[in-house]
Amino acid sequence: MSFLVPNIRRIYGRLIPPPDKSISHRALMLSALAQGKSEIKNFLRAEDCLATARALKMMGVEIIEEKNNLCVSGQGLFSLKKPSHVLDVGDSGTTLRLLTGILSAQKFSSVITGGDSLVRRPVKELLYLLRSMGAHVEGHEDDSYPPVHLYPVTKKLVAITCKPSTVSAQIKSALLLAGLYVEGQTVIQETIHTRDHTERLLKLFGAAVREVDSKVQLTPSELQGQSVTIPGDISAASFFITLALLLPESELEVEEVGLNFTRTGFLDVIQAMGATCEIDPLIKDSYEPTGRIFVKASPLKGVTVSKELTIRTIDELPLVALLATQAHGETKILDAGNLRFKESDRLKAVALELSRLGAHIEEEESGLVIQGPTPLKGAKVKSYHDHRMAMMLMLAGMISEGETQIDSIECISKSFPNFLMVLGKLSE
Ligand code: S3P
């Protein structure tokens, strides 16, 4: 259903962002594989994470849900049961990859598939690496895409030492989860350090995991049930941070938000653009650091985002592009080829849709180049059923002159079901 973007004057107030999506998935999976009860407080009840819950329930995991709190009765690493149907994980790429890691090591067969965007998400390198551990796994179109077929292991998987060529936390995490079942020590070397939530949670659940230089080493170990509180999602908060920077006289305080270094690239980018952005890291001794962020409307200048910073900002790059349309000078987003394989081809989608609003933006093979500042003008735009595109375009419409209509925004419930309600509360 098409959506007419509302007009708002400014953003003002205090935001406690929704629970972190990446950490919610992982906390639930590890609780399901652990021995004993786990309590997950502040779990993200959005489509993607609910897809993980549904798949685990289909394999016999007992999950009691009370609002945002889950109680999971884990029975250990070998307790999953053969699902009676194909596992449909909706459009959740994280569920697809991480579950593929776990299921590649089971004594039963299973099939993972999902919606239209999921069956275009690449799995080739992941399947190749799992096969090198001895797993029997197959994908569609020469192993490129889901559905993924996983066959029973007949002989225990073997540990590998590898350096994936795709820079991806999902591949790393899937290999670590498979690594819980192998003979020997799994060693994954990263060319660029990606989000490390799996490593942190594995440690919390008692696994023998170590990070040495750019290598993650895991020795198979039983997991013990835990009580885990999920921090606020910095990626979700970034939408409102962006709007506060762009709308004159805005002020926003974000509280209880995750400040894991592998996720805070966006804050570094906006500071480099000249934004007023204060960061108070309040809790450092938990399994994930959290804190408070204060931002206010600020004049911005162009920047270059590349390599390690691109990876630490991977989900926020559409927002960087939007900010760049209003910043003085040129902004370059480099080394962002991975963006072509998200819920949409985000390099193409961002360039095309922001151009419709009048932005000066060039799509390159693995990046974007934006010239600013350019006043944007309302137009009809498309979300490609990609949640981060839909929310970014909503903000773009709000800073545009005239009406903006987005073809569909239902996809927002994938990660941020309360987005419109929060917007209503914070906007004036
Ligand atoms: C995620 C990792 C990132 C990110 C995605 C969530 C995760 O993907 O874009 O939204 O939870 O591990 P890749 O690391 O595979 O690029």
Side-chain angles (χ1 to χ4, degrees), residues 120-274:
R120 293 194 301 268
R121 306 294 290 271
V123 289
K124 193 159 187 140
E125 186 170 19
L126 174 59
L127 297 190
Y128 168 79
L129 291 168
L130 289 172
R131 212 175 277 137
S132 68
M133 296 168 88
H136 297 278
V137 290
E138 273 170 16
H140 199 57
E141 287 182 43
D142 192 23
D143 286 337
S144 303
Y145 305 104
V148 174
H149 289 257
L150 302 117
Y151 299 98
V153 284
T154 45
K155 222 167 88 203
K156 207 170 184 185
L157 301 187
V158 291
I160 51 165
T161 293
C162 65
K163 188 175 179 181
S165 59
T166 315
V167 178
S168 164
Q170 294 181 355
I171 294 185
K172 172 179 67 176
S173 301
L175 296 174
L176 288 173
L177 293 170
L180 289 169
Y181 294 87
V182 301
E183 193 68 58
Q185 189 185 56
T186 299
V187 182
I188 305 165
Q189 178 150 24
E190 292 196 283
T191 43
I192 299 183
H193 192 37
T194 61
R195 64 188 67 190
D196 60 0
H197 306 305
T198 307
E199 295 90 307
R200 285 168 182 265
L201 277 165
L202 278 168
K203 264 181 219 154
L204 182 72
F205 278 75
V209 60
R210 286 201 316 160
E211 280 141 284
V212 184
D213 303 324
S214 55
K215 293 191 191 103
V216 189
Q217 304 174 340
L218 173 77
T219 308
S221 19
E222 275 293 335
L223 307 176
Q224 294 303 323
Q226 296 295 325
S227 176
V228 187
T229 302
I230 312 293
D233 196 322
I234 179 110
S235 299
S238 299
F239 292 97
F240 289 96
I241 293 175
T242 300
L243 201 51
L245 293 177
L246 292 177
L247 289 174
E249 294 172 37
S250 294
E251 286 189 16
L252 178 70
E253 215 170 300
V254 184
E255 292 183 356
E256 297 172 32
V257 63
L259 290 177
N260 179 321
F261 178 77
T262 61
R263 295 285 299 283
T264 52
F266 181 68
L267 302 178
D268 292 354
V269 172
I270 61 173
Q271 283 178 331
M273 292 178 103

Side-chain angles (χ1 to χ4, degrees), residues 354-395:
L354 286 180
S355 305
R356 285 189 214 278
L357 298 168
H360 297 291
I361 179 164
E362 291 292 326
E363 175 191 347
E364 298 197 330
E365 198 183 321
S366 56
L368 295 169
V369 180
I370 305 115
Q371 311 291 337
T374 312
L376 301 184
K377 284 208 182 72
K380 287 191 172 165
V381 290
K382 290 188 192 164
S383 70
Y384 305 86
H385 307 290
D386 176 345
H387 57 138
R388 300 198 197 279
M389 278 301 294
M391 290 185 274
M392 183 278 282
L393 289 170
M394 190 103 80
L395 315 186

